[in-house]
Amino acid sequence: MFRAAAETAQDRGFLWRFGHKGRVSYLYGTSHAGRAEWLAPGPKLRSALMSATAIAVEVDISNTKVQNAMASSMDSAPRDLPDGLRQRVTAAWEAECLPAQALERGPTEVLVAQLEVARLARSGFHAMYGSEFLLLSVGHARQLPIVSLEDVDTQVAALSAPDNASAVKLIDSMLNDMADDESGERAMRLINAWANRDLMSLEAFETWCECLNTEQEREQMKRLLDDRNPGLADGIAAAHEQGHLLFAAVGALHMIGPKGVPALLKAKGYEVQRVF
């Protein structure tokens, strides 16, 4: 698959260079799902990767300790849902042929988010072909240090509702989105913007996503993006200042707006320039 992808490799996603005093690192906006034919980097992305002395990702999912932490993070009781809502969750879960016992542990809203991953896979977009898989493969092949910018608890907290009542509302909203295929359409539009390097569409996300209509939706998006961006930017800056020529990669939605990672790096005094 790597060889086949290399024959038609194109630059996809969003790449910036940043640094000061002549030492340059790179910042890349990723897609967490992709196609097999996207597994090889395009020429500009490859050049940036080959210059790196370390790779930073949100969480290094190839690390055994991280995998164990992921398993432990789901070692809690599921949410206490009304019978009707629990039946809807179970039906949606079974419709994706996911193992029934998985619903017995962990925050139910985090599990429901996995339904969209399964739906994307049926459309040919798999997490195993996402940007992180490619970047970690390159990093391990070159024997580079891999830096995790977050821990698993931070990511699970971002996906989780603050309490059971909020979780019930969030799960209901997520299932309604899936029933109307709003979440699927939103995910496909995001993937297409990433594949086509369409930063304008990405920056207009809030105007077309139909996912910020309620206070709860806005709070959830804030937890997923704005609340995490300062920590991501701090981690990237710290790794760069340790002397690495860094290739840092986080989800593309973390890149947009005045609270996005490129803007936060600029605020730290770095020169930031878009490559593509």
Side-chain angles (χ1 to χ4, degrees):
M1 286 191 292
F2 275 115
R3 286 195 297 270
E7 294 177 1
T8 57
Q10 300 178 26
D11 285 313
R12 297 180 174 87
F14 309 96
L15 183 68
W16 288 262
R17 60 170 62 93
F18 73 94
H20 55 70
K21 298 180 181 179
R23 191 160 58 84
V24 175
S25 287
Y26 287 90
L27 174 67
Y28 185 56
T30 68
S31 172
H32 298 319
R35 293 185 178 278
E37 56 264 35
W38 296 351
L39 278 175
K44 292 180 180 178
L45 184 62
R46 178 178 176 80
S47 177
L49 278 168
M50 292 303 104
S51 73
T53 61
I55 289 179
V57 291
E58 293 176 30
V59 172
D60 178 9
I61 56 175
S62 66
N63 184 289
T64 301
K65 290 183 179 179
V66 170
Q67 294 168 3
N68 292 337
M70 286 179 171
S72 296
S73 72
M74 300 304 289
D75 190 19
S76 62
R79 296 294 191 179
D80 182 16
L81 304 182
D83 288 342
L85 184 59
R86 181 163 296 283
Q87 290 169 7
R88 289 174 63 199
V89 170
T90 301
W93 195 260
E94 291 176 348
E96 297 299 335
C97 301
L98 296 170
Q101 65 271 22
L103 283 177
E104 297 173 2
R105 305 297 297 172
T108 309
E109 65 272 27
V110 176
L111 295 167
V112 171
Q114 295 179 17
L115 289 172
E116 189 55 49
V117 177
R119 287 155 62 94
L120 281 173
R122 283 199 285 110
S123 299
F125 298 90
H126 296 265
M128 70 178 70
Y129 303 145
S131 304
E132 288 75 14
F133 180 87
L134 166 63
L135 300 177
L136 290 172
S137 296
V138 171
H140 287 301
R142 295 188 58 212
Q143 299 184 324
L144 299 180
I146 307 293
V147 178
S148 286
L149 298 169
E150 295 182 315
D151 57 32
V152 171
D153 288 344
T154 298
Q155 294 211 324
V156 172
L159 290 167
S160 302
D163 52 57
N164 197 81
S166 298
V168 168
K169 293 179 181 178
L170 178 60
I171 292 166
D172 180 65
S173 176
M174 293 167 75
L175 292 175
N176 289 339
D177 269 4
M178 291 179 193
D180 295 336
D181 203 30
E182 290 180 7
S183 61
E185 292 173 4
R186 181 164 59 244
M188 288 305 307
R189 190 164 178 177
L190 276 174
I191 290 174
N192 286 331
W194 180 87
N196 295 319
R197 302 182 298 180
D198 186 356
L199 186 60
M200 186 177 296
S201 290
L202 189 73
E203 289 176 332
F205 174 74
E206 292 186 2
T207 68
W208 56 258
C209 76
E210 294 296 326
C211 61
L212 299 168
N213 297 323
T214 67
E215 182 62 31
Q216 184 183 26
E217 288 176 337
R218 291 187 288 272
E219 180 59 30
Q220 175 71 0
M221 194 60 65
K222 178 175 177 292
R223 285 199 303 272
L224 285 170
L225 299 175
D226 292 351
D227 289 354
R228 293 167 60 203
N229 286 349
L232 292 170
D234 287 347
I236 291 167
H240 175 83
E241 294 305 324
Q242 288 173 5
H244 291 302
L245 299 179
L246 190 67
F247 189 97
V250 298
L253 280 175
H254 291 283
M255 302 297 176
I256 58 177
K259 296 180 180 179
V261 175
L264 294 177
L265 290 175
K266 281 185 180 179
K268 290 179 178 292
Y270 293 105
E271 297 175 7
V272 182
Q273 179 183 15
R274 189 181 175 205
V275 179
F276 61 76

